[in-house]
Amino acid sequence: MGVTEAAHIPQQRGEPLLDTAVRYAEERHWDVFPGTWLETAGGLERCSCGDAACAAPGAHPFRTDWAAQATGSPVAARRLWGGHPAASILLPTGRTFDALDVPESAGFLALARMERMDVALGPVACGPDRRMVFFVLPGAAAKTADLIRGLGWSPTGIDLVAKGEGGYVVAPPTRVGGQGAVQWVRRPTHANRWLPDAEELISPLAYACGRDAAAARGR
């Protein structure tokens, strides 16, 4: 489109989670919903869910009806975070986007290859769990396994997960316990408002994940 001006979304340092969630809804038209948050007790941070062994402290849904709670309305988003302004920002997949989730090492390898191939990318996020998420058009989850098979890989043999309807991703700048914050590797801008189809990314991603799997077997 020839548009390179960045949206306001990337300006996240020091910005309250509430304001960032509203920006996602207002500027990107993404549905958002608040997740759990971190609480400090006795000098230790714990997830608001109360589980001392929580696998994703401060970064998972706290209601079973989270899918119905998710909203694309900036006004509703502000109201949802009003009671818990430190709540994590979660984005449901299968609506305005799906997500291709890969190991960080494979993700960076694929990114380098895509840049050489001049592949158009959407936003890309990376979490402290060392996973990278590529935002793609809805519908990716339904066809990713067939696309992987078409490239000669087994969907169960490589670590490439497609998230669609019923799933969600954790959005920057949500912090996951003491592990660190989710960050943008490729931030949302006006230039990448139009998301790529999974078919455009699957080859470099599957190749990178295949190399990761081969390296793991060789250790």
Side-chain angles (χ1 to χ4, degrees), residues 16 25 37-38 48 51 77 103 108 113 119 132 147 149 165-166 182 184 192 198 204 211 219:
W37 56 93
L38 296 171
S48 61
D51 182 358
F108 278 116
R113 191 177 183 196
V119 174
M132 193 176 289
L147 291 173
R149 291 190 193 96
E165 186 176 357
V182 182
W184 289 117
N192 64 18
R211 281 194 55 171
R219 293 191 189 108

Side-chain angles (χ1 to χ4, degrees), residues 104 125-133 170 176 179-183 185:
E104 180 186 87
C126 188
D129 58 353
R130 304 185 71 82
R131 303 288 299 185
M132 193 176 289
V133 176
V170 183
V176 186
Q179 302 171 39
V182 182
Q183 303 178 56
V185 178

Side-chain angles (χ1 to χ4, degrees), residues 28 30 96-97 122-123 135-138 192-197 200:
R28 200 71 181 191
W30 287 339
T96 51
F97 65 86
F135 287 52
V136 293
L137 287 172
N192 64 18
R193 183 173 295 277
W194 305 106
L195 299 176
D197 190 278
E200 301 172 55

Side-chain angles (χ1 to χ4, degrees), residues 75-152:
V75 174
R78 190 169 294 279
R79 184 171 62 249
L80 285 173
W81 267 266
H84 298 288
S88 53
I89 303 173
L90 307 180
L91 310 174
T93 50
R95 300 186 182 187
T96 51
F97 65 86
D98 276 9
L100 300 178
D101 183 319
V102 301
E104 180 186 87
S105 53
F108 278 116
L109 176 62
L111 270 177
R113 191 177 183 196
M114 290 177 198
E115 288 173 350
R116 290 195 300 271
M117 297 166 61
D118 200 26
V119 174
L121 288 167
V124 181
C126 188
D129 58 353
R130 304 185 71 82
R131 303 288 299 185
M132 193 176 289
V133 176
F134 291 74
F135 287 52
V136 293
L137 287 172
K143 60 185 178 182
T144 294
D146 285 340
L147 291 173
I148 292 173
R149 291 190 193 96
L151 293 168

Side-chain angles (χ1 to χ4, degrees), residues 194-213:
W194 305 106
L195 299 176
D197 190 278
E199 294 181 34
E200 301 172 55
L201 309 188
I202 202 70
S203 179
L205 284 174
Y207 170 77
C209 289
R211 281 194 55 171
D212 250 22

